[in-house]
Structures are given as structure tokens and as C-alpha cells.
């Protein structure tokens, strides 16, 4: 039976190499793939619905199993050694799976095709790639390419993606509603209980470490553990350089403004909802599409456009607001701190405002009154003292806070 997605070969059309990473070294197979891809005809269809595999123990057993089988033989590989399994199937069975990184559930994907390959010949599903086609027959090899050009493979990948998205959204909702959260700040060892947003807002406000809105994060405990592990290993969270001691690391992250994570580090992708939303697309691709849509629609009416709210946190409490104006009004009414009035009276320019805000945040973080320098056991006691004595209303001398180091929060 001829396969409708067969790949034929024509000289000088394309050049491909199989690159295998074996035992830490790169071994390049000296076989060149010349091919022309023939697209499927319109009358090809799948006659049976897809059914995701279940092990004898049921769905739970599939999810909890620590290993993944080879599609063709009895070899098993730990989930963490997915690349080793892929190399095994290329070397031993001549099977290449395209775009593996876009498979949402690798184990279910492998189990599905393991079952299907026992039902029909592999050539019914895979494109055949012949290497060294001009060499003697004994030197030629046939490789099999499994990819989403095959509608059945494409549908399977989409179903696995949808299933993962449902599970991720359910987990995110559980974390949003969880009030039993307990963790310690990785920068000051302060304990936080209740909702995870309290910790993330604290790190953003008091340590200038911002990982985005808490509602955009999923698998929060695993995310925090990954960050803590890097710090325990004296590793910068942004550039990932390793330092000789904790103080040197802290100084580096402060001076280089590395109190953030590297958005291009794909290790963190699994902790952000945006990376689960569209099949086969990373957050960068999703955002790039959004930007292209904006450029394509410059002539449209923008009168109904609303600015995306930005989370701003009060200098003295946990209150958040979506605009600076609302936050300034809150601080004036709730704490007697009129930032707009102070700005006008002292003629503060932009960088002076930044210095002042950073200075106040630093003093509040250390539970120290920025007027009388008295230190308290808790932030609650400090704020109470400052409101009663009106120390919250007046600023210390300009030389106290108008310093270059206050720009390095």
C-alpha cells in the first residue's frame, strides 16, 4: 500500500543532516537527505476516532509511571531521559519524531503510537527517507519520519495539548483559591502564609524582584523551589553565573540589576499560563503575533481601547491599585502620605521621585521610621508609630534620601 505522504528525492533540492548527541559528544551521521515533500491529497481521511491509551492500571497509572517505553521494543527510559529514548529510536529503529518539543504529553504520545504500530505497518503512518540513495544498496538506509503532516498525528498532538491546558487551568484555579500557602522569602527569610500573591508582591515591593502578576503563574511551589535551588547554588537568577559566596552573589544581582529571571530561559516556560494557550507556540510567538496584529490595524478606530491595568503596591501596606492615581489617593487617605503634594512642594524630578520611593521602601522593609530612625519589631508597629507621630507625613532632609545608591534597588 503506497503511503499518501511519501517523500521523494531530487538532487539539489535540500540538504539535511541527522545530528545525534551520544555520550556528551556530537556525532554527525554522514548521510544527506535530499527530498521533495509531496502534500497529501484531499480525499485522505481517518476512518476511526482517536483513543488516548490507558495502561492496565488505568489513567492514574499512566500519569504516575516514571518511565517511557520504546515504540518498537521492550526498552524503557526514565521520563527525565527523553532524549536518550529519542536517540535509541533513531539509532536502533530508524524512527525520527518531528517537533518533539511541541508534544504536550510525551508518554501518552509514545504509548498511542506503540499501539498503532502493532495494528498497521509503519509505512502507513511515516514518511520514508532514504539516505545515500546513489550509493550501493548495502550502504543505503531507510529512516521513518513521524510528524504532524499526518492528520492523525496532528489530531493526537492537539488533543494532548487541550488535555494539558485543561489540567493547567484547573491547577491555576486551585492555587488562586488556596489559603494554606506557606513559604519563606528567598531574600530575607520572612515567612508568608495565606495566598501566594502576598509573597510575590513582597518580593516585588521590598526586593525589586518581579516575576509578573501572580495570577499568570502556575505550579507556584515548583517555581519557587527552582529559584531557591539556584540561589542555594550561589547562581544568579538572570545570567546564571555562579559566585563564591552569598554576599558576592547579592552584590552582583544588585549592581547588574539581575533581580529578575531571564525571559528567554525556556526552563521557566512551564510556570507561565501563556505558554499553554496555543498549540505549538511559545509566549514569544504569541506576543509577536499580537504585535503584528497591532501594526496591521493602525488605521482602525482606537476610541474603545482600554489600557491594561498595572499592579501598583502601597508603600506602607499590602493595598494594590491598577493606577498610580488610585494608589496615591489611598496613601493620602489611609496613611496621611501625600506623594503628589510632596512632589510639588519639593520640585522633585523623575529620578528624585525614584530615589525617594526606593528610600521609603527600604526603610519600611527594615521596620525603621525614616524620620526618627527608631526600629520596631514589625511593620504594623512601625506604621502605627509613624501615623500617630505624623512622621509618615514629613520627609527627612534631602541629603538623607537623594543619593545615587537609591537608584539601585
Amino acid at each position: 500500500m503506497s503511503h499518501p505522504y511519501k517523500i521523494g528525492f531530487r538532487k539539489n533540492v535540500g540538504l539535511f543532516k541527522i545530528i545525534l548527541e551520544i555520550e556528551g559528544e556530537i556525532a554527525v551521521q554522514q548521510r544527506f537527505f535530499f527530498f521533495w515533500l509531496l502534500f497529501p491529497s484531499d480525499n485522505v481521511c481517518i476512518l476511526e476516532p482517536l483513543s488516548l491509551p490507558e495502561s492496565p492500571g488505568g489513567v492514574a497509572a499512566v500519569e504516575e509511571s516514571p518511565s517511557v517505553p520504546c515504540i518498537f521494543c521492550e526498552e524503557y527510559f526514565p521520563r527525565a531521559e527523553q532524549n536518550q529514548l529519542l536517540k535509541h529510536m533513531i539509532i536502533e529503529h530508524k524512527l525520527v519524531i518531528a517537533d518533539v518539543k511541541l508534544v504536550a504529553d510525551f508518554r501518552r504520545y509514545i504509548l498511542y503510537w506503540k499501539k498503532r504500530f502493532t495494528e498497521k505497518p509503519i509505512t502507513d503512518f511515516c514518511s520514508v527517507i532514504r539516505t545515500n540513495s546513489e550509493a550501493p544498496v548495502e550502504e543505503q538506509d531507510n529512516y521513518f519520519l513521524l510528524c504532524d503532516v499526518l492528520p492523525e498525528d496532528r489530531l493526537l498532538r492537539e488533543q494532548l495539548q487541550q488535555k494539558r491546558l485543561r489540567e493547567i487551568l484547573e491547577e491555576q484555579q486551585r492555587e488562586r483559591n488556596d489559603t494554606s500557602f506557606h513559604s519563606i522569602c528567598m531574600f530575607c527569610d520572612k515567612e508568608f502564609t495565606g495566598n501566594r500573591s502576598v509573597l510575590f508582591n513582597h518580593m516585588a515591593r521590598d526586593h525589586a524582584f518581579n516575576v509578573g502578576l501572580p495570577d499568570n503563574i502556575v505550579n507556584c511551589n515548583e517555581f519557587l523551589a527552582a529559584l531557591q535551588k539556584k540561589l542555594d547554588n550561589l547562581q544568579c537568577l538572570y545570567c546564571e553565573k555562579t559566585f563564591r559566596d552569598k554576599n558576592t552573589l547579592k552584590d552582583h544581582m544588585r549592581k547588574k540589576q539581575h533581580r529578575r529571571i531571564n525571559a528567554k530561559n525556556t526552563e521557566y516556560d512551564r510556570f507561565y499560563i501563556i505558554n499553554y494557550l496555543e498549540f505549538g507556540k511559545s509566549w514569544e510567538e504569541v506576543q509577536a503575533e499580537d504585535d503584528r496584529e497591532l501594526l496591521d490595524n493602525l488605521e482602525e478606530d482606537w476610541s474603545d481601547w482600554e489600557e491594561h491595568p498595572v499592579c501598583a503596591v502601597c508603600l506602607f501596606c499590602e493595598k494594590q491599585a491598577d493606577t498610580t492615581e488610585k494608589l496615591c489617593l489611598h496613601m493620602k487617605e489611609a496613611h496621611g502620605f501625600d506623594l503628589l503634594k510632596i512632589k510639588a512642594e519639593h520640585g522633585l524630578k523623575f529620578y528624585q521621585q525614584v530615589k525617594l520611593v526606593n528610600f521609603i521602601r527600604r526603610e519600611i522593609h527594615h521596620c525603621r521610621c525614616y524620620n526618627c530612625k527608631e526600629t520596631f519589631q514589625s511593620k504594623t508597629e512601625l506604621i502605627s508609630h509613624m501615623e500617630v507621630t505624623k512622621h509618615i507625613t514629613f520627609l527627612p532632609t534631602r541629603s538623607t534620601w537623594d543619593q545615587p545608591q537609591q537608584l539601585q534597588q
Side-chain angles (χ1 to χ4, degrees):
M1 173 179 170
S2 62
H3 182 243
Y5 313 109
K6 184 152 182 149
I7 294 181
F9 297 91
R10 294 184 183 176
K11 196 170 183 180
N12 299 326
V13 173
L15 176 63
F16 286 77
K17 296 179 182 180
I18 294 181
I19 300 179
L20 305 176
E21 184 181 350
I22 303 175
E23 297 179 354
E25 298 181 359
I26 301 298
V28 181
Q29 298 285 70
Q30 300 302 324
R31 299 180 175 92
F32 303 126
F33 295 168
F34 297 94
F35 69 86
W36 184 264
L37 178 61
L38 303 179
F39 292 96
S41 58
D42 294 334
N43 60 351
V44 177
C45 63
I46 300 174
L47 301 179
E48 53 187 297
L50 294 184
S51 175
L52 296 182
E54 293 188 12
S55 67
V59 175
V62 172
E63 296 293 343
E64 296 171 4
S65 176
S67 59
V68 184
C70 172
I71 289 179
F72 302 96
C73 66
E74 300 306 315
E75 289 282 338
Y76 276 78
F77 294 80
R79 284 192 175 192
E81 296 180 9
Q82 173 179 312
N83 287 341
Q84 296 300 320
L85 171 56
L86 295 172
K87 294 171 191 174
H88 164 79
M89 290 193 292
I90 292 175
I91 296 170
E92 300 297 332
H93 308 290
K94 313 298 184 187
L95 177 71
V96 180
I97 300 176
D99 296 321
V100 176
K101 66 178 182 178
L102 302 182
V103 176
D105 190 329
F106 181 69
R107 187 171 194 277
R108 283 184 177 272
Y109 180 85
I110 293 296
L111 289 174
Y112 177 88
W113 285 116
K114 186 177 181 71
K115 179 176 180 293
R116 291 291 282 147
F117 283 1
T118 63
E119 297 170 351
K120 293 182 179 180
I122 187 173
T123 50
D124 282 6
F125 306 108
C126 296
S127 303
V128 181
I129 303 172
R130 176 167 295 170
T131 63
N132 292 344
S133 57
E134 296 181 357
V137 176
E138 63 272 12
E139 295 181 13
Q140 296 180 11
D141 267 327
N142 283 341
Y143 282 81
F144 304 96
L145 178 64
L146 180 61
C147 64
D148 61 3
V149 172
L150 179 70
E152 184 174 356
D153 186 86
R154 176 71 180 181
L155 183 56
L156 173 62
R157 292 176 183 234
E158 290 177 349
Q159 287 184 348
L160 293 174
Q161 170 68 12
Q162 291 165 6
K163 180 177 182 297
R164 181 176 69 165
L165 178 58
R166 287 195 300 271
E167 293 171 347
I168 285 294
L169 291 175
E170 289 171 1
E171 174 61 24
Q172 184 198 38
Q173 192 60 44
R174 281 194 296 269
E175 292 181 8
R176 280 179 173 178
N177 299 332
D178 182 25
T179 57
S180 62
F181 175 82
H182 178 269
S183 187
I184 298 175
C185 174
M186 62 186 74
F187 299 107
C188 66
D189 294 334
K190 185 175 180 181
E191 288 192 35
F192 291 87
T193 58
N195 191 277
R196 60 184 185 163
S197 62
V198 179
L199 171 59
F200 284 113
N201 289 334
H202 159 78
M203 291 193 295
R205 182 184 65 249
D206 292 346
H207 304 294
F209 181 73
N210 194 340
V211 295
L213 294 176
D215 280 350
N216 293 337
I217 294 173
V218 69
N219 297 322
C220 172
N221 290 331
E222 187 181 347
F223 183 34
L224 292 172
L227 296 176
Q228 185 64 58
K229 183 178 179 180
K230 289 184 182 293
L231 292 179
D232 291 343
N233 292 333
L234 302 178
Q235 195 173 16
C236 174
L237 296 177
Y238 182 78
C239 69
E240 303 196 343
K241 291 181 180 178
T242 302
F243 295 85
R244 65 177 182 271
D245 56 54
K246 194 172 183 178
N247 288 333
T248 306
L249 171 61
K250 289 171 63 177
D251 194 47
H252 160 81
M253 292 178 66
R254 178 180 61 82
K255 288 182 177 180
K256 296 292 186 179
Q257 297 185 1
H258 283 187
R259 290 185 180 177
R260 52 199 169 108
I261 63 173
N262 189 345
K264 294 190 178 296
N265 186 343
T266 56
E267 176 186 351
Y268 301 118
D269 286 356
R270 68 184 188 275
F271 302 121
Y272 289 87
I273 284 292
I274 190 173
N275 293 299
Y276 297 91
L277 297 183
E278 291 195 46
F279 174 68
K281 293 180 182 177
S282 67
W283 67 269
E284 291 176 306
E285 292 170 314
V286 172
Q287 287 192 344
E289 284 187 353
D290 292 342
D291 291 341
R292 285 197 295 271
E293 288 177 4
L294 290 176
L295 293 174
D296 292 341
N297 298 310
L298 287 177
E299 302 301 323
E300 294 184 0
D301 181 17
W302 289 79
S303 59
D304 60 345
W305 179 73
E306 294 183 4
E307 186 174 351
H308 184 73
V310 177
C311 179
V313 184
C314 175
L315 293 172
F316 308 103
C317 69
E318 304 297 328
K319 174 69 176 180
Q320 300 180 33
D322 56 7
T323 66
T324 305
E325 291 75 15
K326 291 180 181 178
L327 191 63
C328 287
L329 181 62
H330 159 76
M331 291 192 293
K332 178 181 177 181
E333 294 179 347
H335 306 292
F337 182 82
D338 193 342
L339 181 59
L340 298 179
K341 181 180 178 182
I342 291 172
K343 172 187 172 183
E345 288 181 348
H346 293 268
L348 301 183
K349 298 179 180 179
F350 173 76
Y351 283 111
Q352 290 173 322
Q353 294 177 61
V354 173
K355 291 176 184 177
L356 175 61
V357 168
N358 286 345
F359 166 76
I360 293 175
R361 286 201 188 282
R362 190 186 303 274
E363 296 299 296
I364 298 299
H365 171 66
H366 291 295
C367 294
R368 184 169 56 222
C369 175
Y370 53 70
N371 257 303
C372 67
K373 301 301 179 183
E374 185 177 353
T375 303
F376 295 83
Q377 294 296 318
S378 68
K379 186 184 292 187
T380 303
E381 294 178 9
L382 167 64
I383 301 304
S384 177
H385 156 80
M386 295 181 71
E387 290 177 347
V388 170
T389 60
K390 304 297 182 182
H391 286 181
I392 202 169
T393 307
F394 305 103
L395 297 183
T397 57
R398 184 184 290 254
S399 60
T400 304
W401 54 267
D402 194 1
Q403 298 293 332
Q405 62 265 28
Q406 298 300 340
L407 290 175
Q408 302 176 348
Q409 180 69 341

